[in-house]
């Protein structure tokens, strides 16, 4: 079951969302310095969501 956990981490842990333009930014390690679309610095980590609300 480690594969699923790794996949989830890969999909969510290293993914960040720009709070300005909602662009998804994938980064291997650490936080991306800024959004590549709007160059904003308001970036948060993508959170895992459930399917229905
Ligand atoms: Zn942006």
């Amino acid at each position: 079951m480690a594969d699923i956990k790794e996949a989830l981490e890969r999909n969510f842990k290293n993914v960040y969302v720009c709070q300005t333009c909602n662009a998804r930014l994938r980064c291997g390690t650490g936080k991306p310095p800024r959004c590549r679309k709007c160059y904003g610095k308001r970036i948060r980590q993508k959170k895992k969501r459930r399917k229905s609300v």
Side-chain angles (χ1 to χ4, degrees):
M1 291 306 163
D3 292 340
I4 294 176
K5 193 174 181 182
E6 284 184 10
L8 285 174
E9 288 207 351
R10 197 188 321 129
N11 287 333
F12 293 104
K13 191 176 181 182
N14 293 330
V15 175
Y16 299 87
V17 179
C18 174
Q19 291 182 306
T20 303
C21 67
N22 291 326
R24 279 185 300 175
L25 309 165
R26 212 163 44 170
C27 189
T29 55
K31 272 194 173 185
R34 56 181 53 185
C35 173
R36 59 177 156 79
K37 287 182 69 176
C38 68
Y39 301 103
K41 287 190 289 186
R42 298 182 56 144
I43 293 175
R44 65 166 173 84
Q45 195 168 24
K46 183 174 174 62
K47 293 175 182 174
K48 188 165 64 173
R49 285 188 192 171
R50 299 194 177 184
K51 282 186 179 177
S52 58
V53 183

